[in-house]
């Protein structure tokens, strides 16, 4: 039974990790400030976890949450490229200083391994597909730079202090419990809810931008596998976590529209500042280092996601 701290444990990805850790008998502590996470994401688990309402910017609170832990899955962050373009300071403080606080907590409290939710945004728009971890990063937005800075700090803490850090570069993760209600929500969640509500989604740009959309269960598996892999295979490493397939936004829109029998054609708006054009991962490094394999592909992920949003947001009865 491992002692694991999940930062951002009340968020979309974090809450999936918490559930999986509990299912295999680990002892789980959650750190969250509920800025984007929700207690509801931890329904049925609140009695069996140690929940700390702490902000990542609070160094003392973060350190206290690290005490006695063997592993940290650092998922807490202020996500969204456009949010970081709009308000770079707040996302910097959470994503860079917050990550630093987690590493300092880990070092001072003797935590063995820290897994970090890194981002595919690090690659930017450079030529060459699929993206391989050895490519030189070219971040295009404050968010991408912040997440990349976290990676560099992770590697430094391995080299200098021997904290076993592992950077998992997530490629556009989607699935149940992804927040759908914010202007900064991921596109899959946003479009699914807009279609369910009969609202018109907008595609920013021509819709031909591609993403390696990755169902959340694949990320859970990558975390569990890299937690137990030998340090010689993973410590100090950076690994893409994705499916290795690319789907355009237009395809994604029509896939969702088909499953939700949404009748309206696409509406296009201006392209978004800081947006990456295309994204597709090479997943060989994760395969070799810790036996990662994508478990759920795009089509099945889409079906499961739509089924969840349908249940979560049932159509409103007409008022009489
Ligand atoms: C980026 C990262 C991703 C990270 C995420 C965190 C890349 C390739 N991916 O995702 O790894 O997890 O930030 O926030 O950098 N869009 C619309 N209409 C909408 C909303 C979005 O057309 O209403 C478009 C966006 O312009 C973009 C695509 O959908 O082209 C995906 O957007 P989003 O879901 O926000 O994720 P990324 O910014 O790609």
């Amino acid at each position: 039974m491992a002692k694991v701290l999940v930062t951002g444990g009340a968020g979309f990805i974090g809450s999936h990790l918490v559930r999986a850790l509990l299912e295999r008998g680990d002892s789980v502590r959650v750190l969250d400030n509920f800025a984007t996470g929700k207690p509801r994401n931890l329904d049925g688990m609140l009695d069996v976890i140690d929940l700390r309402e702490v902000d990542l910017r609070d160094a003392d609170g973060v350190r206290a949450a690290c005490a006695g832990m063997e592993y940290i899955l650092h998922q807490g962050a202020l996500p969204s490229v456009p949010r970081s373009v709009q308000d770079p300071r707040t996302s910097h403080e959470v994503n860079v200083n917050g990550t630093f606080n987690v590493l300092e907590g880990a070092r001072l409290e003797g935590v063995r391994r820290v897994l970090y939710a890194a981002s595919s945004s690090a690659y930017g728009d450079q030529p060459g597909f699929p993206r391989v971890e050895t490519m030189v990063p070219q971040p295009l937005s404050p968010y991408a730079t912040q997440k990349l800075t976290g990676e560099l700090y992770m590697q430094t803490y391995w080299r200098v202090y021997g904290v076993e850090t592992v950077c998992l570069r997530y490629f556009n993760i989607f699935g149940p419990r992804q927040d759908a209600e914010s202007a900064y929500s991921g596109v899959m969640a946003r479009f699914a809810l807009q279609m369910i509500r009969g609202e018109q989604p907008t595609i920013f740009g021509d819709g031909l931008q591609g993403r390696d959309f990755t169902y959340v269960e694949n990320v859970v598996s990558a975390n569990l596998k890299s937690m137990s892999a030998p340090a010689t295979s993973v410590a100090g490493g950076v690994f893409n976590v994705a499916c290795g397939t690319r789907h355009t936004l237009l395809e994604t829109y029509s896939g969702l529209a088909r499953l939700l029998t949404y009748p309206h054609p696409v509406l296009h708006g201006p392209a978004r500042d800081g947006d990456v054009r295309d994204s597709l991962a090479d997943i060989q490094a994760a395969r070799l280092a810790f036996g990662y394999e994508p478990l759920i592909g795009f089509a099945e992920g889409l079906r499961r996601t739509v089924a969840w949003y349908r249940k979560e947001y049932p159509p409103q009865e007409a008022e009489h």
Side-chain angles (χ1 to χ4, degrees):
M1 185 181 93
K3 293 183 178 135
V4 190
L5 170 67
V6 183
T7 72
F12 158 49
I13 298 173
S15 64
H16 282 272
L17 288 168
V18 171
R19 190 176 302 270
L21 293 166
L22 290 173
E23 273 168 12
R24 61 174 213 175
D26 288 344
S27 151
V28 181
R29 182 177 288 165
V30 164
L31 180 148
D32 210 296
N33 68 344
F34 302 113
T36 59
K38 299 177 200 130
R40 180 142 194 249
N41 287 338
L42 295 168
D43 268 357
M45 298 182 269
L46 288 164
D47 291 345
V48 286
I49 59 171
D50 172 8
L51 177 61
R52 311 271 175 113
E53 190 170 344
V54 172
D55 193 302
L56 282 168
R57 292 166 290 191
D58 167 7
D60 294 339
V62 169
R63 178 175 174 180
C66 294
M69 296 291 106
E70 296 165 285
Y71 296 90
I72 300 175
L73 309 188
H74 178 38
Q75 312 299 308
L78 208 48
S80 168
V81 167
R83 185 194 333 247
S84 79
V85 171
Q86 218 100 61
D87 179 10
R89 180 175 298 278
T90 309
S91 55
H92 174 93
E93 284 167 358
V94 175
N95 297 340
V96 178
N97 301 350
T99 296
F100 176 73
N101 288 339
V102 168
L103 281 168
E104 270 294 87
R107 174 177 81 88
L108 295 166
E109 297 298 337
V111 176
R112 191 174 132 206
R113 186 170 292 186
V114 179
L115 270 53
Y116 170 62
S119 170
S120 64
S121 56
Y123 292 106
D125 272 345
Q126 61 187 292
F129 289 97
R131 301 312 197 189
V132 186
E133 294 85 342
T134 47
M135 288 173 165
V136 177
Q138 288 185 12
L140 290 176
S141 63
Y143 176 79
T145 299
Q146 292 154 11
K147 279 282 165 178
L148 180 63
T149 305
E151 284 188 20
L152 297 175
Y153 257 126
M154 289 287 151
Q155 294 178 306
T156 301
Y157 270 63
W158 161 239
R159 283 192 211 109
V160 179
Y161 305 111
V163 180
E164 297 173 7
T165 58
V166 185
C167 299
L168 301 175
R169 276 189 187 159
Y170 296 168
F171 279 66
N172 288 74
I173 314 306
F174 71 100
R177 297 204 288 280
Q178 185 168 30
D179 182 23
E181 311 224 34
S182 150
Y184 297 127
S185 295
V187 71
M188 195 76 90
R190 200 165 152 71
F191 281 6
L193 183 58
Q194 286 172 324
M195 288 182 187
I196 285 170
R197 290 184 170 161
E199 297 163 8
Q200 173 68 61
T202 305
I203 287 189
F204 303 140
D206 60 10
L208 293 173
Q209 62 266 53
R211 293 289 183 270
D212 197 335
F213 286 109
T214 303
Y215 189 68
V216 65
E217 225 166 275
N218 301 321
V219 177
V220 171
S221 156
N223 276 271
L224 298 185
K225 285 185 178 224
S226 58
M227 259 178 93
S228 54
T232 45
S233 310
V234 296
V238 175
F239 303 97
N240 292 338
V241 173
C243 284
T245 56
R246 174 187 168 279
H247 298 273
T248 65
L249 262 199
L250 285 171
E251 269 175 69
T252 307
Y253 184 99
S254 54
L256 288 170
R258 199 167 43 247
L259 289 168
L260 288 163
T261 52
Y262 180 78
H264 305 298
V266 172
L267 177 75
H268 291 272
R272 216 169 64 175
D273 285 342
D275 216 23
V276 164
R277 179 66 185 173
D278 260 318
S279 182
L280 171 66
D282 181 308
I283 52 176
Q284 197 60 10
R287 270 197 180 112
L288 291 174
F290 51 90
Y292 169 73
E293 265 328 312
L295 303 170
I296 307 287
F298 178 76
E300 178 59 18
L302 216 57
R303 274 193 290 277
R304 293 185 185 197
T305 303
V306 162
W308 186 84
Y309 282 101
R310 266 213 166 109
K311 187 157 68 65
E312 194 67 10
Y313 297 95
Q316 301 296 307
E317 298 269 334
E319 284 181 31
H320 297 290

